[in-house]
Amino acid sequence: RSYDKNFHIVIFDRAIFDGVARMEYYRDKGIITEDQQRVIEGYLLLRWNRNLFDLHVCMTCDTGVAIDRELARALIKKHGQTMNPTTLRELQEAHARLWRRLDCAKDPRMLWHDTTSENEAQTANIVLDAILSACERRPL
């Protein structure tokens, strides 16, 4: 049969909420207007679009730790257009405002997770547990 509860597909993607938060950031920067933000957000947050996702994990981290992690494996050890303290802080604030505004904490499909004090294995275990829980919530 085409659907069996024993099989699940997990796709890691920035998905719709990253785009919605990015539009909040663009509005703050004056790149788009409030009306443009509302139109784009309205489309991205259509119930049909939101129902395509069983889980959205917003991983956050102290900006200094995030940059240290990024530069640890980078060939060129300098800040980029996005990976710099100011932009990371502004993007994190946009995500946090969006999270509060959309009351995401009440949605079991949404997980806000701060990785600042974790190593990669700890974060992977927490995210995997959230994925398995999301799969269990799926109807038969």
Side-chain angles (χ1 to χ4, degrees):
R1 61 186 207 224
S2 63
Y3 176 77
D4 187 319
K5 188 173 165 91
N6 294 317
F7 296 97
H8 301 284
I9 296 173
V10 176
I11 299 171
F12 293 95
D13 184 11
R14 290 181 183 257
I16 59 176
F17 287 94
D18 189 64
V20 174
R22 183 72 61 163
M23 294 309 111
E24 184 125 342
Y25 169 79
Y26 288 163
R27 188 212 58 227
D28 290 346
K29 297 302 249 178
I31 297 169
I32 63 173
T33 66
E34 273 189 55
D35 287 341
Q36 290 169 323
Q37 178 195 5
R38 263 194 300 278
V39 168
I40 295 166
E41 183 176 292
Y43 167 73
L44 290 172
L45 295 178
L46 283 171
R47 182 180 306 273
W48 184 87
N49 283 334
R50 289 185 78 169
N51 287 339
L52 292 173
F53 298 91
D54 297 311
L55 177 66
H56 174 80
V57 180
C58 183
M59 287 191 280
T60 186
C61 182
D62 173 80
T63 55
V65 172
I67 289 172
D68 289 346
R69 288 175 180 170
E70 178 76 11
L71 294 179
R73 294 187 177 121
L75 294 175
I76 300 171
K77 308 285 187 192
K78 70 178 212 174
H79 293 161
Q81 185 175 356
T82 301
M83 287 303 292
N84 65 71
T86 302
T87 302
L88 285 182
R89 193 170 24 264
E90 290 169 348
L91 284 168
Q92 189 175 41
E93 289 167 3
H95 277 277
R97 280 193 315 274
L98 172 68
W99 200 265
R100 288 187 303 272
R101 184 167 53 86
L102 297 180
D103 217 4
C104 293
K106 292 183 179 178
D107 186 340
R109 298 173 303 166
M110 306 295 284
L111 173 63
W112 182 275
H113 184 68
D114 187 337
T115 69
T116 301
S117 61
E118 298 172 352
N119 62 39
E120 290 174 347
Q122 291 168 317
T123 300
N125 283 328
I126 289 167
V127 171
L128 180 58
D129 188 51
I131 291 168
L132 293 173
S133 294
C135 290
E136 288 300 315
R137 286 193 302 270
R138 300 260 349 198
L140 288 173

